Each structure stands twice: as structure tokens, then as C-alpha cells.
Amino acid sequence: MSLFVRLADWQTDRDAIRSIRQKVFVDEQQVPPELEWDELEASAQHFLVYHENKPIGTGRLTDGGKIGRMAILKEARGLGAGLELLRRICKFAALSGQKNVYLNAQVQAIPFYERAGFASAGEEFMEAGIPHMRMERTLNEKEPCANLDDWNR
């Protein structure tokens, strides 16, 4: 089992990113398409996670350290892909100078994010008809890769 996370670009990787998010958020979780796609797509740093050379997950980091749109295909859950993706996004954020990151976690996923070092902050709220909680994490000085060349290790 080999997992690989790479930086992705909205312009060149749009089909893979959209396919994963369509299946997970729109089809599986019934998020209205007009809420799934936003004006931040082009400016966000996207990530793709692969298993056996097939894209199985995606996530993004927007300005201000917000992690979002994390999605792993249903058939690929349980492989550790979500945790590896989150770990790599945090490494990239730290390398980019972020001291803290945050995300809006679906309530059912809070234990997953807690295992990754995130803590709940604030009250539960609804987003796209799904209960969420803001979660935050301070990034460790040892978090970043030495440089971007280390990304493909």
C-alpha cells in the first residue's frame, strides 16, 4: 500500500479534484453543487492524495491558514489517506509561514481531527446542512519540510 500526496493546481488538476469532491460532497453527502464550488478555487493551494497511482483524495489550504474541502473517496477510507493528507497540508502551511491552521470539521469527524492535534474552538454550527465545529491547531516548528524539494519523499 503506497500513499503519495502532492501539490495540485486548480487549472491543471481540476478534473481529478472535481471528481473526488463531486462524489464525496455532492453525491454522497448531498451538498448542493452551488455551495461546493467557490471563488477560492483558483487562489487556494490544492493537494491530491494517491493510492496505487490513482487519485483518491483532495484538500485545500486558503489564505489565512484555513484547511478545507478535505475528501477521501468512500472506497479508499481506512487506508490512512486522510491523516496523511492532513499531515502534508499542515507541513506545507508551516513551510509557508503559517503559525496556526484551522478548519470547519463535520461533527462526526471531530475525533479524526483531534487525533491529528486539532482542538475544538467555538460552538457547533450548520454549514451546507451539516453540523460543523471550528477546530484549530498550532503548528510545530519541526512541522515543515526542509524545502519544497522534500515534498516528493
Side-chain angles (χ1 to χ4, degrees):
M1 170 183 73
S2 67
L3 291 172
F4 175 77
V5 179
R6 73 168 179 84
L7 297 175
D9 175 75
W10 179 249
Q11 297 308 316
T12 56
D13 297 306
R14 180 187 329 223
D15 290 346
I17 294 166
R18 284 186 70 94
S19 175
I20 293 165
R21 286 172 44 189
Q22 175 72 33
K23 288 175 186 170
V24 172
F25 295 125
V26 179
D27 299 344
E28 184 182 331
Q29 297 182 359
Q30 302 297 300
V31 171
E34 61 273 14
L35 296 180
E36 180 53 30
W37 316 108
D38 63 23
E39 70 284 352
L40 300 175
E41 303 298 356
S43 63
Q45 175 58 66
H46 293 270
F47 301 81
L48 282 167
V49 59
Y50 290 79
H51 179 252
E52 298 177 352
N53 296 316
K54 290 175 42 181
I56 60 164
T58 188
R60 74 180 190 186
L61 179 68
T62 56
D63 289 341
K66 183 178 182 186
I67 297 171
R69 303 305 203 267
M70 280 197 46
I72 303 295
L73 293 174
K74 191 173 195 173
E75 60 271 18
R77 293 181 197 149
L79 299 173
L83 192 56
E84 182 63 14
L85 175 61
L86 186 56
R87 186 179 73 81
R88 298 296 278 184
I89 293 172
C90 288
K91 279 189 170 195
F92 183 86
L95 178 64
S96 300
Q98 293 290 328
K99 303 292 185 211
N100 303 290
V101 289
Y102 72 98
L103 50 84
N104 294 336
Q106 292 183 12
V107 169
Q108 51 86 18
I110 287 174
F112 165 79
Y113 291 108
E114 287 175 335
R115 286 192 302 275
F118 284 80
S120 297
E123 301 293 321
E124 186 176 309
F125 62 94
M126 296 298 283
E127 186 173 78
I130 301 168
H132 282 72
M133 175 77 68
R134 180 181 167 117
M135 299 189 79
E136 301 172 346
R137 179 176 170 200
T138 300
L139 297 174
N140 185 313
E141 290 176 0
K142 298 177 183 174
E143 200 86 45
C145 298
N147 58 55
L148 285 177
D149 293 335
D150 289 342
W151 257 92
N152 295 328
R153 291 188 190 174

